[in-house]
Amino acid sequence: MKKTFLLFAAFFSLIASAQRFKPAPEWLKTAAFYQIYPQSFKDTDGDGIGDINGIISKLDYLKWLGIDAIWLNPCFESSYQDAGYDVTDFYRVAKRYGKNADLKRLFKEAHKRKMRVCLDLVAGHTSIDHPWFKASQSATRNELSDRYIWTNDSTVKPERHVAGKFERNGTYRKNFFDCQPALNYGFGKPDPAQPWQLPVTAEGPQKTRKELMKIMDFWMTMGCDGFRVDMAPSLIKNDPDRVETNKLWAEIRTHFQHLFPEGILIAEWGNPARAIKAGFMMDFIIHLGNDGYSSMFFNQEGTYRHDTCYFNVEGNGTPTTFVDYYLEQLKNVGDSGYVCVPTANHDFQRPNCGTRNTEAQLRTVTAFLMTIPGVPLFYYGDEIGMKFIPGLPNKEGSQLTKGNRAGSRTPMQWDSSPKAGFSTADLNKFYLPIDSSAYRPNVESEMANPSSLLHFNRYLLQLRKQYTALGTRGAIRFLYAETNKYPLVYERSANGERFIIVINPAGKSVQVDCPFSGTVKEFKPVLVDRASLTQVNNKLQIKADAVTYGIFKVIE
Ligand code: NOJ
């Protein structure tokens, strides 16, 4: 009897853990994303800073490109010491971007076109100028005293704590820059010798958690479709094995999905396996936590500079760091969520950077990124090949110790006019200087030219929709991914349909063989530039000229 009971209990707990969350909404499976940095996208009121109405005016363009969902960087009231990641009012759109009503209209206009809009949720901290922080630093105890993490002695300054002229006797914990005090969600393992470290169950941290859910509900009720959560693993401090962090996100996901079954939660975690286990539906493989992404794309220029990378014309990089990490992540995530390997984001360099600056090179990058499993994402401007601009001044905290992020945040180039169709303001009023190259790319010219990079990228998105094997959930098998070798060759498959993709970012032609069984009638070129496949007995002979790619459909 006892044994049967134990067996049952084990069985049910297995089922419970496998079905911990309701599945992510179906639409995520086929969605293509586009990230918009609002200050740099399109200005309609002539102040040199992009705005929500500008985004609305470009929705048809995004639809044409094949975009299904937008992630908008923070657009809330802010002190702009970290370009909007230092929020002063979570419930209000910043004046420079418009009004809450404009954002509501953006949701509506996007939905009319069957597109979705996700906001950026800065969950871990606020600006030091937030009214919560002002109340929290008061010497008189009040209901916001525990909204942030404070020591109980201003001479005590643990790591990542900031001292200052505060009314209360204490130092506060920061989350990123000094001006970004960490919201108090409690400590996973509070140190009993430090009574100011509150457990997650304490009243203050619980109230912070409730407030976060209130913010989410507020925007979702207005029509928002989900969130990208800034620094998602950072909320709970001293949380070995992320036990309490996972519980927190599980609670939020359950609450969120109950109210908004079509809503999505995206993490900025940099480790999809961990993020999805915690309750997120998607996470990025980017420059954080592991060298996979940077070993593919970071060269000697950019926010983060590396000696070499796989996507460089010198052809001296290696794909294996990425491939190993990526395959491990895909395996661990399985069907419970999604990985996303974006073209770039506002924190690191674009594909067009340093010596990777020709259209042919940029085609190899997106031919790769748009044919691997996971949710595709274009960072604004990458679809036309906008350049990472080096040497810009520090703008609203863009400068980090390691490099400047401003190079990826310059105004979108809409047309070939002197102001690139971004704004009518004087050029010196522009949020950041526009790319000054004589032949800077722009949307209008590329739209008019069917053989442009823009059309190429649009076609890649179409192929993903046309063939499940090339889409988000199709399987991947690397056929040739060798240390310090070119090209990169992989197979994509789904429902008996197969494709082979060859990517050669190196500036020299290559020829390699790899084992290949089965009889193939034809490797039908779908989108190919000077690459070929031939089956010779049980081998696949792959040839690729310098800086080329090929997508072939396997016809059996
Ligand atoms: C990550 C964001 O992407 C970055 O831009 C910001 O500076 C930090 N989090 C702090 O919020």
Side-chain angles (χ1 to χ4, degrees):
M1 172 69 190
K2 202 172 163 199
K3 211 168 160 190
T4 328
F5 171 77
L6 282 177
L7 266 172
F8 263 117
F11 176 72
F12 281 116
S13 81
L14 200 76
I15 299 277
S17 66
Q19 299 183 338
R20 210 162 138 235
F21 304 114
K22 280 193 209 152
E26 206 44 36
W27 65 265
L28 195 48
K29 204 181 270 178
T30 50
F33 273 71
Y34 190 89
Q35 184 190 339
I36 294 182
Y37 204 60
Q39 45 272 63
S40 305
F41 196 59
K42 171 72 188 166
D43 173 26
T44 56
D45 62 5
D47 63 356
I49 297 178
D51 45 49
I52 309 270
N53 284 332
I55 299 172
I56 296 175
S57 73
K58 296 299 181 184
L59 285 176
D60 288 332
Y61 161 68
L62 296 179
K63 185 74 194 173
W64 172 85
L65 178 58
I67 298 305
D68 307 288
I70 292 164
W71 150 32
L72 192 59
N73 285 98
C75 57
F76 313 106
E77 283 294 0
S78 168
S79 290
Y80 301 114
Q81 294 190 58
D82 188 11
Y85 282 95
D86 48 330
V87 176
T88 54
D89 186 346
F90 288 101
Y91 297 95
R92 194 181 293 270
V93 166
K95 263 193 220 72
R96 73 186 200 182
Y97 300 131
K99 297 202 164 83
N100 283 14
D102 297 322
L103 189 53
K104 191 172 176 181
R105 205 160 58 82
L106 170 62
F107 298 146
K108 227 172 114 195
E109 290 295 324
H111 295 165
K112 259 199 220 161
R113 294 163 175 82
K114 301 209 174 354
M115 293 162 84
R116 325 240 174 187
V117 182
C118 298
L119 295 177
D120 209 312
L121 184 67
V122 191
H125 50 268
T126 68
S127 158
I128 201 166
D129 300 322
H130 195 294
W132 295 344
F133 188 81
K134 290 186 182 151
S136 176
Q137 66 82 53
S138 160
T140 324
R141 193 137 175 99
N142 61 64
E143 61 173 39
L144 290 162
S145 296
D146 293 336
R147 176 67 29 115
Y148 300 84
I149 301 168
W150 289 93
T151 63
N152 48 11
D153 181 341
S154 53
T155 62
V156 174
K157 201 168 161 281
E159 209 194 336
R160 300 181 69 78
H161 272 246
V162 182
K165 281 195 184 135
F166 303 114
E167 290 171 22
R168 80 190 265 171
N169 183 18
T171 60
Y172 71 85
R173 164 93 176 218
K174 66 171 172 174
N175 223 27
F176 194 67
F177 290 146
D178 284 4
C179 63
Q180 290 162 312
L183 284 161
N184 190 0
Y185 294 90
F187 284 68
K189 285 220 179 321
D191 178 354
Q194 310 292 342
W196 52 269
Q197 296 187 1
L198 301 178
V200 294
T201 48
E203 196 188 344
Q206 282 294 317
K207 278 193 179 159
T208 310
R209 188 183 288 218
K210 290 276 157 333
E211 186 72 37
L212 180 66
M213 294 201 255
K214 197 174 137 200
I215 296 165
M216 296 170 82
D217 294 353
F218 177 82
W219 293 110
M220 290 299 289
T221 308
M222 195 177 280
C224 164
D225 297 291
F227 300 96
R228 171 270 192 187
V229 180
D230 187 62
M231 295 175 72
S234 78
L235 272 47
I236 290 166
K237 309 305 182 201
N238 192 19
D239 187 26
D241 300 325
R242 299 166 292 279
V243 176
E244 293 300 334
T245 306
N246 291 352
K247 281 198 220 157
L248 169 108
W249 288 116
E251 182 186 338
I252 294 180
R253 170 148 173 185
T254 308
H255 165 90
F256 180 80
Q257 276 196 303
H258 177 67
L259 293 178
F260 313 104
E262 288 295 286
I264 61 159
L265 294 174
I266 308 170
E268 186 210 25
W269 200 303
N271 189 320
R274 285 185 188 166
I276 278 134
K277 186 174 170 215
F280 287 93
M281 300 168 189
M282 167 169 134
D283 182 30
F284 302 103
I285 292 183
I286 39 174
H287 61 306
L288 303 168
N290 174 283
D291 285 340
Y293 190 92
S294 35
S295 66
M296 291 304 259
F297 299 116
F298 290 5
N299 58 27
Q300 290 173 348
E301 196 159 279
T303 310
Y304 302 97
R305 290 170 295 279
H306 285 229
D307 286 344
T308 187
C309 62
Y310 193 65
F311 279 84
N312 74 7
V313 73
E314 290 82 4
N316 56 0
T318 194
T320 45
T321 314
F322 174 82
V323 169
D324 292 348
Y325 183 66
Y326 174 69
L327 288 179
E328 185 197 313
Q329 288 290 340
L330 281 182
K331 190 174 98 202
N332 290 339
V333 165
D335 284 342
S336 47
Y338 296 88
V339 308
C340 172
V341 192
T343 60
N345 81 20
H346 60 291
D347 289 331
F348 59 86
Q349 51 263 46
R350 298 173 174 281
N352 186 347
C353 182
T355 58
R356 191 177 49 237
N357 53 23
T358 65
E359 206 179 298
Q361 286 173 304
L362 300 179
R363 284 178 197 238
T364 64
V365 173
T366 46
F368 168 65
L369 287 176
M370 297 301 140
T371 56
I372 58 172
V375 175
L377 186 149
F378 274 98
Y379 179 55
Y380 86 94
D382 285 344
E383 75 276 24
I384 54 168
M386 269 174 59
K387 183 173 151 191
F388 173 90
I389 313 288
L392 292 177
N394 178 17
K395 177 73 180 181
E396 297 185 346
S398 62
Q399 183 70 49
L400 301 176
T401 332
K402 288 199 172 154
N404 192 349
R405 302 176 286 181
S408 292
R409 301 176 174 184
T410 59
M412 179 71 176
Q413 295 150 205
W414 293 106
D415 61 33
S416 54
S417 67
K419 293 176 184 174
F422 166 66
S423 167
T424 54
D426 285 348
L427 279 168
N428 61 14
K429 290 252 169 59
F430 275 31
Y431 179 73
L432 273 165
I434 204 148
D435 177 6
S436 59
S437 325
Y439 297 106
R440 65 182 173 222
N442 71 79
V443 172
E444 192 181 59
S445 315
E446 291 199 28
M447 253 180 136
N449 172 8
S451 49
S452 66
L453 180 65
L454 175 62
H455 276 270
F456 175 79
N457 286 326
R458 179 173 183 247
Y459 188 53
L460 285 171
L461 289 178
Q462 282 171 359
L463 286 177
R464 296 181 62 99
K465 296 244 156 92
Q466 189 178 344
Y467 300 109
T468 316
L470 291 173
T472 297
R473 281 284 192 229
I476 189 163
R477 188 165 66 100
F478 283 91
L479 303 178
Y480 192 84
E482 302 292 320
T483 313
N484 294 115
K485 295 269 172 62
Y486 292 75
L488 184 62
V489 186
Y490 47 97
E491 179 189 77
R492 299 291 316 277
S493 59
N495 316 323
E497 196 172 55
R498 286 200 288 164
F499 289 82
I500 291 177
I501 293 120
V502 179
I503 306 283
N504 181 26
K508 55 183 181 242
S509 58
V510 283
Q511 179 177 330
V512 296
D513 287 352
C514 67
F516 192 79
S517 53
T519 332
V520 168
K521 262 203 212 125
E522 190 194 352
F523 295 105
K524 195 175 166 212
V526 174
L527 187 60
V528 179
D529 180 24
R530 290 168 293 132
S532 68
L533 295 179
T534 324
Q535 191 178 12
V536 186
N537 301 322
N538 281 339
K539 290 220 161 111
L540 187 63
Q541 191 176 82
I542 303 145
K543 286 186 190 167
D545 276 4
V547 194
T548 54
Y549 57 84
I551 304 174
F552 302 88
K553 188 163 194 293
V554 180
I555 312 285
E556 272 153 312

